Amino acid sequence: MRQNPNHRLLGQTCIVTGASSGIGKEVALAMGRDCANVVVNYITDAEAAEEVAHQIEINDSIAKAIAVKADVSKEDQVQAMFQTAKQHFGTVDILVNNAGLQRDAEFHEMTLAQWQFVLDVNLTGQFLCSREAVREYLRRGKVDYSCALGKIICMSSVHEVIPWAGHVNYAASKGGVMLLMKSMAQELGPKGIRVNSIAPGAIQTPINRDAWETPEALNDLMKLIPYKRIGQPADIGAVAVWLATDESDYIHGTTLFVDGGMTLYPGFTTNG
Ligand code: NAD
């Protein structure tokens, strides 16, 4: 079925976690441009989240958006966010598990608190949000505006497969996201719920400022990217929207790498 490319998500509601900055912000704006109603989740920066919601409404008057504060690692706050979403928009159709962070340290110096914090937000947060989404999809039942009963998109990373020295908590969390996503996909596919991941490479956002802020750092980074440019949040926004539409309805249980070729082992380019 062909749909207007700018109205592909009309009538659907999307929750994007960690949407006040970086990739989440661009995913939220892109969902709004395709006419989804958007819950712009944030944890600290209310003003930035309100601005994202405002941008969605002025960019496209059909889409509605609200900013909702919740810590994705806290069960009660996640449940309250879904309640608010349902009160405002009736139901939820798309979840983008985007919130994530890093607390880097050399392995022998990593504290339990650093390990636990990253796992709590990056992995447990995706479990808690996905579980609430699935509960809502099952409660609400089939709709006529989407092939799937509901969609879940997990923001993973190339580090779901590339080991990362100095970042073992982060790499372990994203490796966990990979099998969380695949196991959910296996279990929930028969119920009509479509589950996938996006694995960004290096995307220019606040999380990895050190990697692109100086010309030297950017030059080093380019050695890891065969396509020779740093990714932009909009690169991920476009893919997330497509993964939420019926155009990708047969994509299920897959990680889409959006990385300019970072997973092609570029170190072997001249020394195979
Ligand atoms: P970012 O720091 O701009 O965005 C992360 C967002 O998550 C922030 O808005 C932050 O406030 C929010 N957040 C943190 N803890 C939270 C919590 N407990 N509850 C709710 N929100 C919380 O960085 P980003 O690059 O946009 O990262 C977004 C996602 O993309 C993360 O999952 C990250 O791991 C992933 N990712 C980013 C890159 C990259 O190169 N930028 C690469 C691979 C994966």
Side-chain angles (χ1 to χ4, degrees):
M1 105 199 48
R2 278 208 75 73
Q3 293 163 309
N4 181 326
N6 295 320
H7 292 72
R8 291 174 296 178
L9 299 174
L10 186 64
Q12 301 194 44
T13 294
C14 177
I15 294 181
V16 185
T17 65
S20 61
S21 65
I23 291 171
K25 172 181 174 178
E26 215 42 59
V27 169
L29 291 170
M31 292 285 178
R33 278 195 296 274
D34 253 90
C35 296
N37 298 319
V38 185
V39 173
V40 179
N41 162 252
Y42 69 97
I43 183 162
T44 48
D45 197 343
E47 205 177 315
E50 293 290 354
E51 180 55 28
V52 174
H54 177 65
Q55 283 297 326
I56 290 169
E57 296 202 346
I58 59 172
N59 284 347
D60 190 322
S61 57
I62 304 172
K64 298 277 170 234
I66 51 168
V68 179
K69 182 179 166 97
D71 178 340
V72 297
S73 68
K74 300 283 187 302
E75 186 176 33
D76 57 338
Q77 295 185 32
V78 169
Q79 288 174 336
M81 172 171 69
F82 273 79
Q83 270 311 113
T84 305
K86 284 188 276 178
Q87 275 158 11
H88 260 81
F89 299 122
T91 187
V92 176
D93 303 283
I94 304 155
L95 167 68
V96 183
N97 277 320
N98 169 76
L101 44 72
Q102 291 178 212
R103 288 294 180 274
D104 309 327
E106 283 191 54
F107 184 73
H108 63 285
E109 289 179 344
M110 186 172 286
T111 62
L112 177 59
Q114 286 170 320
W115 169 267
Q116 198 69 60
F117 187 46
V118 171
L119 269 291
D120 280 354
V121 175
N122 293 12
L123 185 56
T124 306
Q126 296 216 15
F127 160 69
L128 289 172
C129 292
S130 299
R131 193 187 59 179
E132 285 321 299
V134 169
R135 287 174 175 169
E136 173 55 15
Y137 300 162
L138 296 176
R139 181 203 66 77
R140 182 241 300 132
K142 191 89 189 85
V143 289
D144 59 9
Y145 50 75
S146 167
C147 294
L149 188 70
K151 281 105 22 169
I152 296 173
I153 299 167
C154 301
M155 204 56 72
S156 184
S157 163
V158 289
H159 296 296
E160 75 169 40
V161 291
I162 301 178
W164 204 14
H167 309 258
V168 295
N169 46 2
Y170 184 82
S173 74
K174 296 301 186 178
V177 165
M178 176 179 68
L179 277 176
L180 169 68
M181 179 280 286
K182 286 180 189 281
S183 301
M184 287 195 297
Q186 193 186 61
E187 181 170 338
L188 300 170
K191 300 184 195 304
I193 298 171
R194 203 153 64 78
V195 189
N196 291 291
S197 285
I198 297 172
I203 309 297
Q204 193 165 9
T205 74
I207 210 173
N208 57 1
R209 187 176 294 282
D210 290 352
W212 50 262
E213 209 167 28
T214 65
E216 296 75 31
L218 196 58
N219 191 44
D220 274 354
L221 183 62
M222 285 308 122
K223 293 175 190 154
L224 301 177
I225 307 175
Y227 198 55
K228 299 298 171 206
R229 78 165 169 87
I230 190 166
Q232 295 303 319
D235 291 316
I236 307 298
V239 173
V241 169
W242 181 72
L243 261 187
T245 68
D246 284 349
E247 290 171 16
S248 61
D249 187 56
Y250 208 51
I251 297 185
H252 178 61
T254 291
T255 298
L256 288 187
F257 287 82
V258 185
D259 67 352
M262 192 176 250
T263 35
L264 297 172
Y265 298 97
F268 281 81
T269 304
T270 54
N271 190 23

